[in-house]
Amino acid sequence: MDRASQIVLREWPPMKTPFADPHYREPPDRKSMHGRIVRDLGMRIVSGELQPGDRLPLEASLCADYDVSRPVLREATRVLVAKGLVMSRQRAGATVRPRSDWHLLDPDVLYWLIQSKPQGEFVETLLTVRRIFEPAAAALAAQVADDAALAGIAHAYDAMEAATTPEALLEPDLAFHRRIAEATGNDLLAYIGNMLSLALRESIKLSSRHPDTHALSLPRHKAILTALQHRDPLGARQATLVQLDETGGDLSAVLDELDPVSRGRGSAGPDIG
């Protein structure tokens, strides 16, 4: 997560999300048993298999299951403590913390959350956050962004316009939204926008299954860009709200097409990687 501190507002990095890749929903390749233990226990916690207040399995049991030493297991536990998932006390073992204590913008925790939620629930959770964050960020950017920041947003839009496939559209779309947050000149907002790119990647990949995704996406983003260039905070806010509402409709249509029967019953749905 320290990479967020390296954000440079006026330089345009390659259109790449730092903690995600095109196969984001595939389990990451962990080379060490330490990493595997962190991943497995993290998934068990985030998915609800281990509830807040539950103790992690006994050290002896986990050491036997993974064929590791106690120091390796304890190092994995320290990672979970750092992510806010568990608290560890001497002689009392490690206990799952309340969800409100979890570091949900931690790349691993967010990854596990996406993996564990049904698609419809994940989409609605993300859209709720985006409706709170993105319109306000766009309005602020319209007020304070300098010319270089606006040029960076326009550059991302031009790359969206030039894209000929949904796959080619993904990275510039992510960059467009990330650069609006950076254009606010507020490091914390830029950090939040950067971290939301992890989840936004999944949402864009899902909405790209809509047959008219390119034709629908461009005018919505163009309206936001135009308002920003005109230094129109209210227009930028409204254009962003419209974009999010219409994106929500696109996602609902895609989810209905993928799994019309079980959407309302908590089905995890098909993989969208």
Side-chain angles (χ1 to χ4, degrees):
M1 296 178 65
D2 291 342
R3 298 187 187 188
S5 64
Q6 300 173 4
I7 293 173
V8 179
L9 298 183
R10 299 193 182 186
E11 294 184 4
W12 309 333
M15 293 179 183
K16 180 179 179 181
T17 306
F19 302 111
D21 58 59
H23 305 292
Y24 181 60
R25 287 188 67 91
E26 297 178 8
D29 181 16
R30 305 271 189 174
K31 294 183 179 180
S32 67
M33 288 304 298
H34 163 270
R36 179 183 166 191
I37 296 167
V38 171
R39 181 197 65 202
D40 290 353
L41 291 177
M43 277 292 295
R44 290 176 67 182
I45 293 168
V46 173
S47 68
E49 180 182 341
L50 292 171
Q51 290 287 317
D54 287 352
R55 289 185 178 181
L56 297 189
L58 295 174
E59 277 192 355
S61 175
L62 289 172
C63 285
D65 288 344
Y66 290 99
D67 191 23
V68 295
S69 64
R70 287 180 185 269
V72 171
L73 181 63
R74 289 171 183 171
E75 177 60 28
T77 302
R78 282 193 286 270
V79 173
L80 295 174
V81 169
K83 296 178 184 298
L85 296 181
V86 303
M87 64 179 70
S88 182
R89 295 176 180 170
Q90 194 170 13
R91 297 190 181 89
T95 305
V96 179
R97 299 181 68 172
R99 290 179 68 91
S100 58
D101 292 339
W102 298 355
H103 301 169
L104 291 178
L105 291 182
D106 175 275
D108 286 326
V109 177
L110 184 54
Y111 173 87
W112 298 330
L113 185 68
I114 293 171
Q115 292 290 312
S116 66
K117 278 182 175 288
Q119 282 185 335
E121 185 179 341
F122 158 69
V123 164
E124 189 53 43
T125 296
L126 178 59
L127 279 174
T128 298
V129 174
R130 293 183 68 191
R131 289 186 183 108
I132 295 170
F133 175 76
E134 291 188 19
L140 179 57
Q143 291 177 294
V144 304
D146 59 25
D147 291 342
L150 291 177
I153 299 167
H155 176 73
Y157 176 80
D158 290 343
M160 290 179 64
E161 196 171 41
T164 58
T165 66
E167 292 75 20
L169 182 65
L170 176 60
E171 294 301 337
D173 197 344
L174 289 169
F176 182 90
H177 295 285
R178 192 168 61 246
R179 288 174 183 173
I180 290 175
E182 293 170 358
T184 64
N186 184 300
D187 288 342
L188 184 56
L189 291 177
Y191 171 77
I192 294 172
N194 189 51
M195 298 310 296
L196 283 177
S197 290
L198 291 166
L200 184 56
R201 171 181 291 272
E202 292 305 299
S203 176
I204 293 173
K205 285 167 66 178
L206 182 59
S207 64
S208 70
R209 295 191 175 198
H210 194 287
D212 300 319
T213 182
H214 196 253
L216 293 171
S217 181
L218 286 179
R220 298 168 185 170
H221 289 75
K222 181 65 172 178
I224 298 172
L225 175 61
T226 299
L228 291 171
Q229 292 172 328
H230 288 170
R231 306 289 185 175
D232 179 2
L234 292 178
R237 179 187 295 273
Q238 184 60 32
T240 303
L241 285 169
V242 169
Q243 189 261 333
L244 291 172
D245 286 345
E246 293 182 351
T247 296
D250 295 344
L251 288 165
S252 292
V254 170
L255 288 170
D256 283 338
E257 182 68 23
L258 291 174
D259 198 355
V261 176
S262 59
R263 270 195 68 197
R265 302 185 308 189
S267 168
D271 183 82
I272 62 173

